[in-house]
């Protein structure tokens, strides 16, 4: 086992005995084997496209299978082994259709048993080639991890009917790229930035999917307390699964709560119309063991972010989609009857528990709807600076930086936020500037697209480039969706990004030097030092 795709990787270098995420060595190895098998499928997909043959089943499967290897998604080795077998079967069907024989991963034959397949993985993992150029290997891994983020967003968008053939074509092309030993550093940097460009398109597709199905988010207060009655908690990222739960549970005396990155769902008109869609419970993914254990109802994990369930709620938690944990009941057909029945059998909340409310729904339509007020406030010097404090949360020490940073942002500045990093400060009352809230929740991690559109629109209004705006990006990262978003920002030429709480272990000093020279990307320091450097 060797894995260093997340921010919390052991000793800041790599997990080689067990994953900090809870991933067992054999699961890590099987994920590596799945990636290798997918490269073989991609070889035939690329060859097919040369002949004008496009197989949408292959395209969709590629994104789903690659998403399954993203951090905190699939911990079930048997299901991963099935994905490897399915990949090879699909590859062989392509081979038969094309009538050509390719080598390398395209010729891989999986062993008969899961244990034997795990043994095969030792030859194809991230560090399988000891003679690889470390800088090229670094760029290959940046690309792979970025592709996992792209695949996740592409899967979310496809579920709601939004696809783009160019995205799938790039996934295949990029998966095959490491097999071309002639590619040099310049070509690899180009592929990494191309991944950022493609991710921008994928986030655009997902934005269109979400808003097309559920309307554009509107500013909405969300209660953080509890309401007496039976309860279902929905975590993860998938809006369609949440909608299905709401539809199937209405009229049954059950209140539905969001958890983690599902919080922004309360701002979507077609979701908030359900009277039993009550409020938000808990905070970010890394706190779920404590929060889920205290929740007196059924719990549904819709996408990534699952942790090893504790015994006290093992019977109450369900997974769906690509999420899997051994022993946890999986809903594969969109019928959430079992979740509803579990909620009805559990005690629920015995009484109303009042709590704070937080505001969500400040996606691009809502913010740009008051753009004239924002522009007037900036020109009148009432609004000095914008900070995008966004990204992933996590358990590793150092993330209190983001709480302290937001607390110390001067009162004439606005903080935009998105993704689960917001839970470090989402319930703080920062007041407003001329009626404009000083804390604007743009949405989930993929709503980085909305934040980008806001920045582009403001740059147009002020007749300047995005880098010339009074806007600073203070980002936190944890997993591969964050990698894809960072690559998108670099593709757009965004400079002076501050990144933390640590820099990725998979970036070599030479690759980091390229990022610093071209984009002035830098690590966070302390809130006081960074604010002084930005504001003077």
């Amino acid at each position: 086992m060797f894995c260093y795709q997340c921010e919390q990787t052991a000793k800041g270098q790599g997990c080689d005995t067990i994953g900090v995420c809870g991933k067992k060595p054999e699961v890590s190895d099987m994920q590596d084997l799945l990636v290798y098998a997918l490269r073989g499928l991609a070889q035939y997909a690329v060859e097919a496209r040369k002949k004008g043959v496009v197989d949408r089943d292959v395209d969709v499967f590629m994104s789903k299978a690659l998403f399954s290897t993203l951090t905190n998604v699939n911990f079930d080795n048997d299901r991963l082994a099935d994905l490897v077998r399915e990949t090879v079967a699909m590859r062989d069907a392509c081979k038969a259709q094309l009538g050509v024989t390719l080598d390398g991963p395209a010729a891989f034959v999986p062993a008969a048993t899961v244990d034997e397949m795990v043994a095969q993985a030792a030859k194809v993992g991230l560090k399988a080639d000891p003679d690889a150029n470390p800088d090229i290997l670094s760029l290959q891994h940046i690309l792979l991890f970025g592709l996992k983020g792209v695949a996740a967003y592409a899967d979310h968008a496809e579920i709601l009917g939004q696809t783009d053939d160019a995205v799938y074509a790039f996934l295949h092309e990029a998966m095959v790229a490491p097999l071309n030993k002639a590619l040099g550093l310049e070509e690899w940097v180009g592929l990494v930035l191309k991944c950022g460009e493609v991710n921008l398109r994928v986030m655009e597709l997902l934005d269109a999917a979400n808003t097309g199905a559920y309307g554009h988010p509107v500013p909405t207060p969300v209660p953080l307390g509890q309401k007496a009655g039976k309860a279902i908690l929905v975590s993860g990222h998938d809006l369609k699964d949440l909608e299905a739960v709401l539809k199937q549970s209405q009229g049954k005396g059950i209140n539905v709560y969001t958890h983690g990155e599902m919080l922004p769902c309360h701002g979507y008109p077609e979701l908030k119309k359900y009277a039993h869609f009550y409020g938000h419970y808990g905070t970010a993914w890394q706190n779920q063991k404590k929060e889920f254990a205290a929740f007196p109802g059924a719990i549904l994990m819709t996408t990534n972010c699952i942790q090893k369930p504790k015994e006290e709620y093992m019977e109450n938690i369900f997974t769906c989609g690509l999420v899997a944990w051994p022993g946890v009941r999986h809903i594969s057909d969109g019928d959430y009857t079992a979740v509803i029945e579990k909620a009805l059998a559990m005690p629920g909340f015995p009484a109303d528990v009042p709590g704070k409310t937080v505001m969500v729904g400040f996606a691009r339509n809502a913010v740009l709807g008051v753009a004239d007020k924002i522009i007037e406030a900036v020109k009148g010097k009432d609004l000095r600076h914008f900070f995008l404090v966004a990204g992933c949360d996590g358990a590793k020490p150092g993330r209190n930086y983001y709480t302290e940073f937001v607390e110390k942002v001067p009162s004439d500045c606005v903080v935009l936020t998105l993704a689960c990093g917001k839970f470090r400060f989402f319930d703080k009352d920062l007041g407003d500037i001329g009626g404009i809230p000083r804390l604007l929740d743009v949405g989930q991690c993929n709503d980085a697209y909305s934040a980008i559109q806001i920045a582009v629109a403001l740059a147009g209004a002020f007749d300047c480039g995005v880098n010339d705006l009074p806007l600073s990006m203070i980002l936190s990262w944890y997993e591969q969706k964050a990698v894809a978003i960072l690559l998108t920002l670099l593709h757009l030429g965004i400079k002076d990004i501050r990144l933390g709480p640590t820099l990725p272990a998979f970036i070599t000093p030479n690759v980091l030097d390229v990022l610093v020279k071209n984009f002035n990307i830098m690590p966070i320091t302390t809130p006081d030092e960074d604010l002084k450097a930005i504001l003077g």
Side-chain angles (χ1 to χ4, degrees):
M1 162 181 194
F2 180 81
C3 182
Y4 62 174
Q5 67 181 12
C6 86
E7 191 272 333
Q8 292 183 184
T9 195
K11 299 178 182 178
Q13 299 173 347
C15 297
D16 55 12
T17 55
I18 191 168
V20 172
C21 64
K23 184 166 57 178
K24 293 181 178 179
E26 58 268 26
V27 171
S28 178
D29 292 339
M30 191 66 79
Q31 290 180 349
D32 287 342
L33 194 66
L34 176 55
V35 168
Y36 185 73
L38 288 169
R39 293 196 195 282
L41 176 58
Q43 285 178 267
Y44 277 103
V46 168
E47 191 68 23
R49 285 174 179 272
K50 291 177 183 177
K51 300 178 184 299
V53 177
V54 175
D55 189 326
R56 188 44 49 91
D57 289 340
V58 169
D59 294 339
V60 172
F61 176 81
M62 175 71 73
S63 61
K64 288 184 180 296
L66 195 55
F67 184 10
S68 296
T69 70
L70 189 143
T71 300
N72 288 8
V73 177
N74 191 335
F75 293 81
D76 190 322
N77 226 27
D78 289 334
R79 283 184 62 184
L80 288 167
D82 286 342
L83 283 171
V84 172
R85 297 185 188 102
E86 191 173 350
T87 301
V88 171
M90 193 169 281
R91 180 203 71 194
D92 289 346
C94 293
K95 176 182 176 180
Q97 182 181 12
L98 293 174
V100 298
T101 300
L102 304 175
D103 56 12
F108 162 68
V109 178
T113 70
V114 172
D115 288 344
E116 290 171 332
M117 289 168 69
V118 168
Q120 286 180 308
K123 299 178 181 179
V124 300
L126 295 176
K127 297 287 188 177
D129 182 2
D131 300 320
N133 178 301
D135 296 325
I136 287 181
L137 192 64
S138 173
L139 289 165
Q140 289 178 348
H141 291 170
I142 294 170
L143 178 62
L144 173 61
F145 303 150
L147 288 175
K148 292 185 180 189
V150 169
Y153 291 144
D155 181 59
H156 293 325
E158 188 275 332
I159 286 171
L160 288 172
Q162 289 285 338
T163 62
D164 184 340
D165 187 64
V167 171
Y168 295 127
F170 178 75
L171 276 176
H172 301 317
E173 171 197 340
M175 287 293 284
V176 168
L179 306 179
N180 184 354
K181 302 304 179 185
L183 296 179
L185 286 171
E186 187 173 338
E187 288 89 352
W188 277 107
V189 170
L191 275 168
V192 164
L193 293 179
K194 178 70 174 179
C195 183
E197 178 183 0
V198 171
N199 187 61
L200 179 62
R201 173 59 178 150
V202 174
M203 291 194 298
E204 179 184 27
L205 289 171
L206 182 51
D207 178 87
N210 287 338
T211 57
Y214 306 112
H216 284 276
V218 296
T220 302
V222 182
L224 301 181
Q226 291 90 50
K227 191 173 184 180
K230 307 294 185 177
I232 292 175
L233 185 64
V234 182
S235 191
H237 300 77
D238 196 277
L239 275 62
K240 189 174 182 179
D241 290 322
L242 173 61
E243 179 191 32
V245 170
L246 289 168
K247 281 183 177 179
Q248 294 174 32
S249 63
Q250 63 182 334
K252 298 183 183 297
I254 299 172
N255 296 311
V256 176
Y257 298 77
T258 53
H259 177 269
E261 287 229 48
M262 299 301 284
L263 168 63
C265 295
H266 290 273
Y268 286 91
E270 290 302 308
L271 296 176
K272 62 183 294 182
K273 70 181 183 182
Y274 291 94
H276 64 304
F277 188 25
Y278 177 66
H280 187 79
Y281 175 91
T283 51
W285 66 272
Q286 77 277 3
N287 300 318
Q288 66 185 250
K289 289 187 177 183
K290 178 180 178 181
E291 293 169 353
F292 287 4
F295 188 75
I299 303 160
L300 177 67
M301 294 296 305
T302 66
T303 56
N304 54 309
C305 294
I306 192 171
Q307 288 187 299
K308 180 180 180 179
K310 296 178 72 174
E311 191 62 35
E312 49 259 59
Y313 62 85
M314 189 74 169
E315 290 298 313
N316 310 333
I317 188 169
F318 299 78
T319 59
C320 65
L322 300 174
V323 190
W325 192 283
V328 171
R329 284 173 291 179
H330 187 76
I331 308 295
S332 60
D333 59 0
D335 181 352
Y336 295 102
T337 300
V339 179
I340 293 166
E341 289 177 346
K342 172 57 70 172
L344 292 172
M346 294 186 67
F349 290 104
D352 290 350
V353 178
K356 288 185 176 181
T357 61
V358 295
M359 292 294 297
V360 300
F362 294 101
R364 70 182 192 284
N365 264 32
V367 174
L368 295 179
V370 294
D372 55 339
K373 293 182 179 179
I374 293 173
I375 294 166
E376 182 182 346
V378 172
K379 290 181 176 179
K381 301 190 183 304
D382 294 318
L383 202 170
R384 178 170 34 151
H385 205 86
F386 297 91
F387 290 95
L388 178 63
V389 186
C392 313
D393 203 0
K396 195 172 181 180
R399 291 181 181 271
N400 58 316
Y401 164 94
Y402 298 94
T403 309
E404 187 179 343
F405 186 94
V406 168
E407 289 175 339
K408 291 185 173 181
V409 166
S411 60
D412 57 356
C413 301
V414 166
V415 175
L416 294 95
T417 190
L418 53 87
C420 66
K422 70 169 71 83
F423 289 109
R424 294 280 167 171
F425 49 80
F426 80 124
D427 57 351
K428 296 189 178 298
D429 183 3
L430 301 186
D432 65 89
I433 299 174
I436 302 167
R438 288 190 55 238
L439 180 61
L440 299 173
D441 186 347
V442 180
Q444 295 183 334
C445 56
N446 51 279
D447 291 309
Y449 177 78
S450 255
I452 290 168
Q453 296 310 306
I454 291 168
V456 169
L458 289 176
F462 289 109
D463 194 23
C464 66
V466 171
N467 286 317
D468 300 315
L469 285 171
L471 168 67
S472 298
M473 298 191 182
I474 317 296
L475 306 182
S476 56
W477 79 284
Y478 172 69
E479 42 87 299
Q480 298 79 67
K481 289 179 178 177
V483 175
I485 292 170
L486 178 62
L487 297 184
T488 293
L489 296 175
L490 298 182
H491 154 70
L492 292 170
I494 306 298
K495 296 184 177 181
D496 303 326
I497 295 170
R498 285 171 165 80
L499 183 66
T502 61
L503 295 179
F506 47 82
I507 294 183
T508 62
N510 288 336
V511 172
L512 179 60
D513 188 55
V514 170
L515 296 178
V516 171
K517 286 181 178 177
N518 287 279
F519 303 101
N520 197 33
I521 194 168
M522 64 192 85
I524 58 173
T525 58
T526 69
D528 288 325
E529 290 175 310
D530 288 343
L531 281 167
K532 183 177 180 180
I534 294 167
L535 297 175

